[in-house]
Amino acid sequence: KQQQVLQEEDENEDFGFVEISDNDDIVQHEVKNVVIELTEAFNTLSANLTTPNILLVGKTGAGKSSLVNAVFGAQFAKVGTGEPVTKHLEKFAPDGKCVVVYDTKGLEHGNHKEFITDTTKFLKKLRSSPNLKDHLHVVWYVIDMAHSRFQPFEKEICTSLLQNIPLCFVLNKIDTAEQSQINAIKNYIISLKIPNCVGIFEVISDRKNYSFSC
């Protein structure tokens, strides 16, 4: 009996919902105001956003340019379009893109000391700017998993040269490596206990879909 009474009360309860017609002028006016407010908020936010500066590091043949093109668009790091910054660095900032990429080149064992000296001066210059938008915001360290090697000089670069900058390890071409090799590299990176490491990411060697545009 008590259950029946509760059921009747539920059926008779008025929750204040009102049926609204699609042609209701008041509703359309309110919706229009909300859209205007959201658009204004988005435009304000976009105007205050800082274009991120990404530093790409990795040995020759690691697939840095292919990676950037796959993420930001097919022609982002087109050969010959980079602006030389130092002997080892090129700057890519195509019109219409919301990111700036500094790509390193020629990093190999034997010339890494010169690379470290050159890049140290470059980083010092960026850090001297009082405006944070001019600083590096993140480093993508690209490792070629086709060879599955992380050499001692690379450890020096990551733990010394790139300290205090958010560091992402990108294991490129994982489709060419065995899972045991991938795990070994990941475990080694983890064992280094790099404080500014924000993650280890696995990507394939060659993406054909370049539809994304930022």
Side-chain angles (χ1 to χ4, degrees):
K1 184 176 182 182
Q2 183 178 2
Q3 183 177 1
Q4 183 179 359
V5 172
L6 291 174
Q7 184 176 357
E8 290 176 354
E9 289 179 353
D10 288 341
E11 291 174 351
N12 295 329
E13 188 171 1
D14 182 5
F15 289 98
F17 291 120
V18 179
E19 185 177 354
I20 300 174
S21 170
D22 291 338
N23 296 321
D24 194 306
D25 292 338
I26 297 177
V27 173
Q28 290 185 7
H29 178 71
E30 291 298 323
V31 170
K32 183 178 180 180
N33 285 341
V34 170
V35 170
I36 292 174
E37 290 175 7
L38 289 175
T39 302
E40 291 176 349
F42 174 79
N43 291 336
T44 300
L45 178 62
S46 298
N48 293 326
L49 284 177
T50 299
T51 300
N53 298 319
I54 302 174
L55 176 64
L56 276 181
V57 184
K59 291 186 294 185
T60 302
K64 302 187 300 297
S65 296
S66 297
L67 173 65
V68 169
N69 288 338
V71 174
F72 298 116
Q75 301 301 315
F76 190 96
K78 187 178 179 180
V79 176
T81 62
E83 173 189 346
V85 178
T86 71
K87 181 179 179 180
H88 294 280
L89 283 164
E90 282 186 313
K91 178 181 179 180
F92 292 91
D95 294 336
K97 297 296 183 179
C98 56
V99 65
V100 174
V101 172
Y102 293 94
D103 186 14
T104 60
K105 55 182 180 178
L107 175 58
E108 291 292 347
H109 179 67
N111 73 343
H112 63 280
K113 293 294 184 182
E114 182 183 1
F115 171 85
I116 291 175
T117 300
D118 198 29
T119 307
T120 297
K121 294 178 181 178
F122 167 71
L123 294 178
K124 185 177 181 180
K125 180 180 179 181
L126 290 186
R127 288 168 177 159
S128 67
S129 172
N131 198 330
L132 291 178
K133 75 178 182 62
D134 297 325
H135 293 207
L136 280 180
H137 302 120
V138 65
V139 176
W140 290 3
Y141 196 96
V142 184
I143 299 174
D144 182 1
M145 291 305 299
H147 300 290
S148 302
R149 289 193 301 172
F150 191 81
Q151 296 178 282
F153 77 88
E154 296 183 87
K155 173 185 175 182
E156 180 184 356
I157 289 173
C158 293
T159 58
S160 179
L161 176 64
L162 303 177
Q163 61 180 330
N164 303 322
I165 307 173
L167 176 59
C168 298
F169 286 95
V170 180
L171 308 187
N172 198 18
K173 309 178 187 178
I174 62 164
D175 49 330
T176 64
E178 299 291 336
Q179 187 61 49
S180 59
Q181 296 173 312
I182 297 172
N183 293 339
I185 292 292
K186 292 175 71 173
N187 290 335
Y188 178 73
I189 293 172
I190 292 171
S191 73
L192 296 177
K193 298 181 179 179
I194 302 174
N196 53 310
C197 176
V198 297
I200 304 172
F201 305 91
E202 302 176 9
V203 299
I204 62 173
S205 60
D206 189 18
R207 176 186 165 192
K208 298 298 184 182
N209 178 16
Y210 297 109
S211 60
F212 176 79
S213 177
C214 70

